[in-house]
Amino acid sequence: MEAWPLLTRIWRLQRALAQEAAPCIGEYGLNPKELMLLAFVEKRPHAGQLARELHLPAPSVTHALKRLERSGLIVREHDPQDLRRFLFTLTPKGREALEAGRVCLVERLRDRLSRLAPEERATLIALLDRMLEEHA
């Protein structure tokens, strides 16, 4: 199989899951991309780290962070180690939204995975793990 057909299928699956989960995620005033940003904020509290990790322009990430802040899902504080930078953390409301969104996406993925036999699911996971390995 050529790489492009595989890539388009991965992209289509991701889009389908996001669309199926959108109503559930929307209950928290989020879209699927903002939900992913919340997940990344949980692990990488600086805007620069987020932009690099998500491979997005810094202004786009900054704009999204401001929207999440206005929505009360994250808070911004000066980094005590470098006052030129900000730290972003999830609020209790943000944690609730993130957890609900994760549950929603996982349920949609489980629906899709239920179409596979248990051995097919195990093979899929093993193959994805191999593809994600760093080159030796």
Side-chain angles (χ1 to χ4, degrees):
M1 174 186 268
E2 292 183 35
W4 186 253
L6 178 60
L7 188 60
T8 60
R9 283 173 176 82
I10 292 169
W11 182 82
R12 286 175 43 212
L13 177 60
Q14 184 271 330
R15 295 283 301 160
L17 291 171
Q19 287 174 344
E20 291 168 12
C24 176
I25 294 167
E27 291 178 19
Y28 289 87
L30 295 171
N31 62 48
K33 289 179 186 177
E34 291 168 330
L35 178 68
M36 287 300 142
L37 183 56
L38 280 181
F40 277 84
V41 165
E42 185 177 45
K43 303 289 184 210
R44 294 154 198 90
H46 295 99
Q49 290 174 311
L50 292 166
R52 283 188 299 280
E53 185 74 22
L54 293 167
H55 304 283
L56 292 172
S60 297
V61 171
T62 299
H63 176 73
L65 289 169
K66 286 180 181 179
R67 184 186 159 342
L68 293 173
E69 186 178 14
R70 284 191 304 272
S71 298
L73 299 170
I74 63 173
V75 293
R76 174 187 3 188
E77 302 169 317
H78 279 285
D79 184 340
Q81 296 178 354
D82 183 350
L83 295 177
R84 297 170 295 173
R85 296 184 347 161
F86 290 100
L87 294 173
F88 294 91
T89 55
L90 299 178
T91 64
K93 181 180 173 184
R95 288 194 185 288
E96 179 183 333
L98 178 57
E99 184 55 31
R102 281 180 175 152
V103 167
C104 189
L105 282 170
V106 165
E107 287 174 0
R108 298 317 176 275
L109 183 56
R110 280 191 183 130
D111 290 344
R112 299 281 177 141
L113 289 171
S114 71
R115 301 174 190 177
L116 303 176
E119 59 276 2
E120 290 174 315
R121 289 192 297 268
T123 299
L124 176 61
I125 290 169
L127 292 171
L128 291 170
D129 285 345
R130 275 186 45 204
M131 291 177 68
L132 290 168
E133 288 175 0
E134 296 293 325
H135 286 116

